[in-house]
Amino acid sequence: MAMTLRDAQNAARDIISGEEARPDRVLELVPVLRAGRKFGPARKILDRCAVHPDVVNNAELRVKVGQKRALCTYKDPDLANDKKLDDAFSILQSITDLDKTLDQETLGLAGAIQKRKWEVTAQVRYLESSFAFYYRGYRQGVENDGGYTAINAAFVSDCLADIANVPDQPADADLSLSEQWRRQAVAIRQDIIGKLPALANCPGKEWLHNQWWFFVTVGEAYFGLDACEAAREWLMKAAAVPDVPDWEQESTARQIAALLVMKRNLARQRGQQVDPRLEQVLREFLGASSPALESAVRGKVGLALSGGGFRASFYHIGVLAKLAELDLLRHVECLSCVSGGSIIGAHYYLEVRKLLQEKPDQEIAREDYIRIVRKIEVDFFEGVKTNVRTRIAAEWLTNLKMIVVPGYSRTMRAGELYETEIFSRVDDGEGKEARWLNDIRICPKGAPADFSPKDHNWRRAAKAPVLVLNATTLNTGHNWHFTASWMGEPPAGIDSEVDANYRLRRMYYPDAPPPHERVRLGYAVAASACVPGIFEPLTLANIYQRKPAPEERMVRPLVRLVDGGVHDNQGVAALLEQDCSVLIVSDASGQMQDLDFPSTGLLGVPLRANSILQARVRVAQFEQLSGRLRGGLLRGLLFVHLKKDLETNPVDWIDTHEPSPPPTVDPLTAYGVQRHVQRLLAGIRTDLDSFSEAESYGLMASGYLMTGHYLDDEAMGFHVPQQTAEKWNFLAVEPLMKDPRRDAPFVGQLKVANALFFKVWLLMRQLQIIGGGFVVFLLLLLVYSAYVTWDQSSLSRLLMCVGGFVVFVALAQLGLSVIGRVLNYRKTATEILIGIGMATFGFGLARLHLHVFDKLFLWQGTIKRLGRRKPAAKVAPVRTAGP
């Protein structure tokens, strides 16, 4: 009876816990664990097996165990990328001399490790090293390893040719580096098809007729040589082999599809066409599953939604609208969200989850995604209108709860409001009840019970996206991920060469210590949007334990999480970790403004310095993505942001004799928005209060128009069919965004949109008059009272009152500190005082704001009201000629 994966996992757990790691037993378990992609347990039992006396004293067995250790080490997803690749390479070096070895298995592993290093670092030298190892293995004879090192040497050679390919080079550049790599690949493939097909007919080699890898190796070689009929014959033999793990089929399909993409790139540059039969061969190989072919050719699509409060959320809705319109949302396999992006990202994910669990894959259409975004456009705006920021302070009981309940904070209250005011609008039957991350995994209708997006998405037309909510760990400074399956610090983003801090390992919820087997969705979103200094960090206690040193006592760190934007405000790292090859980055973060008179204050300078640091990180991240695109690691990249296409002009020094030429600037951006309007949209506050129609519609329209302009075949790396434009509600603001008048009511609304407080007072002259009159009245009353009652005794009483108040506050702080220590509230005296203040009179002010001033502000910003004045006539773009 064949061993099941569960049996192998249980046996591996026993060995890891102390049972003897007998070589025969370990080597029996490892293939089963590998087939189930359980590389972590396989690595651990192989590590123990490597020091077993039977292995240490047997050179042949030592090499065999070492090869399997290296493979499982570099494939273990729970290890940091740089360290596991270096460790795997070191394991190979420990069993042989890699500079001299001719062992094809070892050379193939070394080549695979170096190729993975290239994928992680985008450094071509690793790809060249990979080719060197594969090529040495190929030189030992394709018959000896079934062509494994040979076919990979040919593929890597094609990758190097694609990277070295220089656009616009002459068609007869036969001696170019790119052409040399390409010819090398052709020679290797010709050698494969000249020797390998006959191998299965040799005595003792009949077993090859049932080997998947043997057929696909020959089939890929023919495919690379454009021999369509022979490629079809061999690939169809492979397709007939039963019980091939799905991940092996996906890996092969993606490599052959990558060949097809490189052929298309070369043909396009030369003004030619790729033989259409090649695509048909790949389609037949994959069976009736057209989505599998499209997935393989397109690559894995990831969508990043940046931080930036509700400003970012509304901008992202516009981006989602255009992606739905172009029928691209169905292809998104990873959704990485930060801060404001996490709020809208979680909302969108819940709607997609409902769709995928109610409709089978073949029935899901473009209109379903358009319907989702239309619903979000309305529901999210209505949820934001409830004013989450003020609601946190507007309820007496919750303010009291923040004082009394240990660990309860404004951050947690914000998470609850996200659930009750926004996520509850998803019609999935959950209503306003608490939602849990481990309960929102997507199992699409008709999919197997063990559905895993990573394993099964590639055969679906409508992908089940992996939701990643990004936070930042104050303990280590690392990125922290919440997903529907696990939480913790992902290993991929940690470079052990420059980062010596410990890593809080990611844990799957069933393995987490109580009560962390489940995590509330609202709290995870709140942690991702936990702006330092405004919200308290989300604290997770009793999860991890460590010994700082062998002689020291065990420590249980308190994990404290803040806004994901502190570490990665664009959310790109998670997409790279998920191996996405097509990236769509929607960036509505707070980009740094230029200043004519920077502050010199004790607070102003650090804040400005932090803005500069964040801007530099953002630029470095974009440059990294551009480098990966140029290096062939990304097939497509779309990066849209609120300041796209806004001019950058040089500033001349005083009395210069060589003035800069006047800028040639169209008043409209390339996507059709007045530049001064786009600047105002980019400056809207990154807050969690209510947003008016003018603000929210303007942001949505900006994201929609911008994405529509810049998203094309070249940006995405695949063909994007044009679709009929939809009539979105937010496009009602488009005429106002094109209006050139700088004194238009819509512009006036945006001019105060950067203010955190008193926006309605800045908008309404009536309130300014009433408020000013009230202040003047109070001042006059104060002066009159002082004039009537002032004497020496009054001064004494005033001083005594001030002194008494100071003493009272000091004693209150001391008393509350003592109470806090006794009751172990983990709250400072200041926090308790603030809570008392909010619970006594602060909530009243918050209620007044919600029911009076906030309503006035929302009314002021309605599109119907702002659009009453007839827009100015269209004017032709004005261009200022240079000298």
Side-chain angles (χ1 to χ4, degrees), residues 70 73 79 82-92 113:
T73 298
L79 296 177
D82 64 324
K83 188 175 188 306
K84 73 180 182 183
L85 294 172
D86 288 342
D87 287 350
F89 201 73
S90 296
I91 290 171
L92 294 181
I113 292 168

Side-chain angles (χ1 to χ4, degrees), residues 75 120 173 184 206 231-232 255 361 365 408 569 597 632 664 768 776 814 827 851 855:
K75 285 185 173 290
V120 170
Q184 181 72 75
E206 296 82 4
R232 176 185 288 109
Q255 181 153 312
D361 188 36
Y408 190 73
N569 205 24
F597 305 101
T664 302
Q768 295 172 16
V776 170
L814 178 62
K827 292 183 182 292
H851 296 302
K855 300 295 183 185

Side-chain angles (χ1 to χ4, degrees), residues 242-302:
D243 301 325
V244 179
D246 201 63
W247 66 268
E248 287 191 30
Q249 297 180 49
E250 179 186 4
S251 176
T252 301
R254 289 196 183 279
Q255 181 153 312
I256 298 177
L259 272 178
L260 179 61
V261 170
M262 287 187 281
K263 287 177 179 293
R264 286 176 175 174
N265 292 341
L266 180 63
R268 184 167 54 249
Q269 180 183 323
R270 293 178 173 177
Q272 301 171 351
Q273 293 288 332
V274 171
D275 189 337
R277 293 179 299 168
L278 287 173
E279 182 176 322
Q280 184 60 31
V281 168
L282 189 53
R283 189 181 301 276
E284 292 180 24
F285 169 57
L286 296 175
S289 179
S290 176
L293 172 65
E294 294 175 0
S295 295
V297 173
R298 181 186 304 108
K300 192 171 182 179
V301 180

Side-chain angles (χ1 to χ4, degrees), residues 516 641 798:
H516 304 290
H641 58 89
L798 177 63

Side-chain angles (χ1 to χ4, degrees), residues 37-41 43 72-81 84 454 486 489-492 503 506 508 577:
R37 305 185 83 166
K38 302 300 180 182
F39 294 104
R43 172 184 61 83
C72 292
T73 298
Y74 97 79
K75 285 185 173 290
D76 188 347
D78 291 327
L79 296 177
N81 268 336
K84 73 180 182 183
K454 190 170 185 177
W486 55 269
E489 294 179 352
R503 176 172 63 88
R506 60 182 175 190
Y508 294 86
E577 187 201 14

Side-chain angles (χ1 to χ4, degrees), residues 394-439:
E395 296 170 6
W396 186 85
L397 285 176
T398 53
N399 280 301
L400 186 62
K401 185 178 178 181
M402 292 177 201
I403 304 171
V404 176
V405 177
Y408 190 73
S409 64
R410 290 189 298 275
T411 301
M412 302 176 82
R413 179 55 185 156
E416 293 166 0
L417 289 172
Y418 298 147
E419 291 183 355
T420 59
E421 304 305 320
I422 298 176
F423 304 156
S424 65
R425 300 173 189 271
V426 180
D427 301 325
D428 56 1
E430 298 293 330
K432 295 193 175 186
E433 297 297 320
R435 295 168 184 266
W436 304 92
L437 267 173
N438 53 296
D439 290 338

